[in-house]
Amino acid sequence: MKAFQYVRANTAKSALEALVKDPSAQFIAGGTNLVDLMKRGVTAPDKLIDISRLPLNRIEKEATGVRIGAMALNSQVADDKLILDKWPLLAQALNAGASAQLRNKATVGGNMLQRTRCGYFYDTEMPCNKRQPGTGCGAKEGYNRMHAIFGTSEHCIAVHPSDMCVALVALDATVVVQGPKGERTIPFTEFHRLPGDRPEKDNTLEKDELIVAVTLPDSPYTQHAHYLKVRDRASYAFALVSVAAALELEGKTIKSARLAMGGVAHKPWRLQEVEKALVGKTVSEATFQQAAQQAMAGARAYEYNAFKLKLAPNTIVEALKMAAGLTA
Ligand code: SF4
């Protein structure tokens, strides 16, 4: 690993000033992904600015929702009573991610910024447009079992690896970022991006900005919500497909719905058209089968991930059934 300088920031302002002074520097918080990337030579910053002690780890109830500091640990959010009571979908998704040890180190901001786990991205001998733009995509004609079925481009077919972000996009989260010009907010649906012809860019954060918080509006999805993750082993594995499903019910009628998928696209894949179509329908296996079919419009598989074309709709149906209480 290349030698690097290490500095610690105590305020968001000083962290941003240090970054502006040295644009080649990178922030580090929990380091659960960045250190791996540095060890493998995927990234080699000259300087790390440690932001893990910034006073941004509080989970605070606000008038119309909750504000979660970017430095809050994944385990802290998953165990928080307010989150468990009001946004259980988020707690479920967090607990489905990584291992207990990693959740005790990883921060909310870092979880959002983690890089894809595409094997070609991590192997510096292989072509990868995300790691080194213009070199090609090793996965397209390679072993692409974990890769995307929605929103791909000829330049990249990687998926975003987070579970937490699938729940956040379903729950209408907003990202609060701070930069030289002050604070701005980004709807979660617009935070991560599709690869297009710039696969090296995972999100819409500017180079001189810092994530300071995520906010969630008050949610009617406290009773009928389920995060279902299908993976190769029971823990510490990335999703083949995951689904965040939440229903607001009046008797057996769906008043509103939230639905998003993970493991299928370069960004957490929100299904707003399917949500709209579910409104007014009666809770049943047939309703959910129809929703799953609609969700798969436009899906495209590669040589080794065609199984996702079947797994994804099955997972949607199962997650919706669990959210509705049709399946234990
Ligand atoms: Fe790189 Fe994306 Fe292709 Fe993977 S899928 S090799 S990350 S360009």
Side-chain angles (χ1 to χ4, degrees), residues 69-87:
M71 291 303 123
L73 299 176
N74 286 191
S75 53
Q76 177 195 346
V77 181
D79 293 342
D80 186 85
K81 188 167 175 346
L82 179 67
I83 299 296
L84 284 164
D85 285 350
K86 305 282 185 195
W87 294 273

Side-chain angles (χ1 to χ4, degrees), residues 228-272:
L228 181 59
K229 178 174 180 178
V230 182
R231 47 187 155 175
D232 283 326
R233 53 175 188 255
S235 76
Y236 196 29
F238 292 97
L240 294 166
V241 171
S242 68
V243 173
L247 297 168
E248 184 186 7
L249 300 179
E250 244 172 23
K252 292 229 173 287
T253 305
I254 300 167
K255 206 172 156 200
S256 70
R258 291 290 181 274
L259 201 59
M261 279 198 274
V264 296
H266 197 260
K267 61 188 284 186
W269 196 247
R270 175 91 181 255
L271 294 156
Q272 279 160 319

Side-chain angles (χ1 to χ4, degrees), residues 1-326:
M1 188 161 65
K2 196 181 98 175
F4 58 88
Q5 252 188 303
Y6 169 88
V7 293
R8 185 183 293 160
N10 293 316
T11 62
K13 191 168 170 278
S14 65
L16 284 164
E17 281 168 0
L19 189 69
V20 169
K21 244 192 254 164
D22 187 351
S24 68
Q26 285 189 38
F27 291 139
I28 185 166
T32 55
N33 185 210
L34 181 58
V35 173
D36 284 347
L37 293 166
M38 290 170 66
K39 282 182 183 166
R40 299 227 194 165
V42 177
T43 187
D46 293 322
K47 187 192 274 185
L48 289 182
I49 304 164
D50 184 350
I51 54 170
S52 62
R53 295 171 205 212
L54 300 186
L56 295 172
N57 65 347
R58 295 179 61 166
I59 300 168
E60 294 167 299
K61 180 80 186 87
E62 295 191 317
T64 57
V66 65
R67 181 180 170 109
I68 303 169
M71 291 303 123
L73 299 176
N74 286 191
S75 53
Q76 177 195 346
V77 181
D79 293 342
D80 186 85
K81 188 167 175 346
L82 179 67
I83 299 296
L84 284 164
D85 285 350
K86 305 282 185 195
W87 294 273
L89 186 66
L90 175 57
Q92 287 176 29
L94 279 162
N95 280 326
S99 64
Q101 291 90 338
L102 288 169
R103 293 195 293 273
N104 282 335
K105 279 305 281 181
T107 61
V108 166
N111 189 322
M112 290 162 59
L113 296 179
Q114 64 178 303
R115 310 296 313 267
T116 184
R117 295 319 198 271
C118 171
Y120 298 91
F121 176 69
Y122 283 79
D123 185 343
T124 53
E125 301 291 307
M126 299 301 288
C128 172
N129 287 324
K130 186 179 277 297
R131 176 172 26 80
Q132 208 178 340
T135 55
C137 170
K140 237 175 28 169
E141 305 298 330
Y143 190 55
N144 41 41
R145 181 172 177 270
M146 298 297 287
H147 290 71
I149 52 172
F150 291 109
T152 57
S153 77
E154 58 173 309
H155 304 286
C156 180
I157 61 170
V159 297
H160 193 265
S162 170
D163 292 294
M164 178 194 80
C165 292
V166 183
L168 287 176
V169 82
L171 292 168
D172 298 313
T174 298
V175 188
V176 186
V177 305
Q178 196 171 320
K181 292 184 203 137
E183 256 186 30
R184 71 176 177 118
T185 57
I186 310 170
F188 209 88
T189 45
E190 290 166 26
F191 183 77
H192 296 98
R193 58 185 296 285
L194 291 177
D197 59 4
R198 301 266 331 261
E200 72 278 12
K201 205 165 156 39
D202 291 346
N203 54 60
T204 53
L205 192 69
E206 297 296 337
K207 179 73 186 94
D208 55 1
E209 288 180 322
L210 172 71
I211 302 171
V212 292
V214 172
T215 62
L216 284 172
D218 282 331
S219 162
Y221 310 109
T222 52
Q223 287 189 343
H224 299 288
H226 194 82
Y227 186 76
L228 181 59
K229 178 174 180 178
V230 182
R231 47 187 155 175
D232 283 326
R233 53 175 188 255
S235 76
Y236 196 29
F238 292 97
L240 294 166
V241 171
S242 68
V243 173
L247 297 168
E248 184 186 7
L249 300 179
E250 244 172 23
K252 292 229 173 287
T253 305
I254 300 167
K255 206 172 156 200
S256 70
R258 291 290 181 274
L259 201 59
M261 279 198 274
V264 296
H266 197 260
K267 61 188 284 186
W269 196 247
R270 175 91 181 255
L271 294 156
Q272 279 160 319
E273 290 307 310
V274 184
E275 293 169 4
K276 280 185 212 154
L278 279 167
V279 175
K281 300 257 172 68
T282 302
V283 159
S284 72
E285 167 117 22
T287 298
F288 297 154
Q289 290 282 4
Q290 217 176 18
Q293 236 176 21
Q294 186 188 355
M296 294 307 291
R300 175 200 168 176
Y302 294 83
E303 186 172 358
Y304 294 99
N305 69 352
F307 70 95
K308 289 193 182 186
L309 298 180
K310 202 165 171 192
L311 182 63
N314 285 348
T315 311
I316 290 174
V317 172
E318 210 49 39
L320 282 166
K321 279 165 69 179
M322 284 169 154
L326 297 185

